[in-house]
Structures are given as C-alpha cells and as structure tokens.
Amino acid sequence: MNTDIVFLKELQAELNSQDNDSQAAPRFWTVGDYRWVECNEGNAERYSVYLPNDGESYEINYFLTDVLDKEELSEEDLEEFGEISCEDSAFEWIQEHYDDGASLHPEKKEHFIRENTMFLTKAEAKQHIKSNHYHYTDEAHTYAMTAWRAPKVERLLKILSEFDFDSLRGSAILPTE
C-alpha cells in the first residue's frame, strides 16, 4: 500500500505541474498523427498514382524518382520523361510506359487521433511515441484532449490532483512507519 501511495503522490505532482496544452480539465493525452487521404482536385496537396498491374499506389513524384534511379530507359523514353512538367503529363507518361490502366488520385494530409491511445500524463504519451515510433509517422505527437461531460473521469482526476495523500499516514489505511 505504501508503494501505491508513493505512486499516487508522484502522479499528483506530475499532473499538477505538466503543461495543459490549452485544454480545460479534465484532460488526457493521446497520439496525434497525419495520413494522406483522397480529396477533390481543388484541395490536393499531392497526387498518387495507382498501378493495377502492381496492385500498388505510389506518391507520383516518389514513383518518378524511383523510375529514374532503377530503370534502364531508352533515349526516347528519357526525352519524353524530361518533358514532364505537371501531374497530368507525368500521369500520361506512366500510362504510356508502365501501366495503361493507371489512375491518378489527388490527396491531402489529414490530422487524426491514433486509436487505443490514452495517457494521464504528457510525459507518458511522449515516452510511448518514442518507444513505439515504428507504429507512427515522423510527425506523430502528443495531443491533449478534454474528457468533456465525463463526470467520473473529472472526479477521478480531481481526486488525483487535490487529495492530501499525507493525511493517510497514521490512519488505519496507512500506519506510520
């Protein structure tokens, strides 16, 4: 029981001194990250090309760079490649030289909250990201959230942040040492 009280006192100190990331109480931390999602042309930040023959989708600029690095292109193919000036001409070149069934997809970057992440402290969330970096992009970060209209969570966090754990010493719960 003494080790549990020590843990609660340390947690209390951390809860009361950590940054709140502009969130109201009660707050907790999750992992925020980014992913590319398909969007309409007007909102595109990049384009990906889907190649049915490969069964894969590639960011178009990455694909073209990879082609230059790995493929043996004829002089004519290289000349046409040098004329690529936009996503449309890149797409036409890919259809002509790689996969005539290819399709072009506009994408934008979207922020999202990673599932199954909930931490009482920001430090614990940071450590989780560091220890599990291989599950996340390089842009993963702590993300503070408010447990809005969650009275039990609010009560628990209020107890954790306000209770005088030293008052338990000398009681039947925590005898003096």
Side-chain angles (χ1 to χ4, degrees), residues 33 35 67:
D33 210 344
R35 62 182 165 210
V67 166

Side-chain angles (χ1 to χ4, degrees), residues 24-27 146-162:
R27 77 190 62 80
T146 300
W148 185 59
R149 293 188 178 168
K152 290 179 181 177
V153 172
E154 184 172 13
R155 184 170 180 201
L156 174 62
L157 291 175
K158 184 175 178 151
I159 290 168
L160 286 173
S161 67
E162 295 178 3

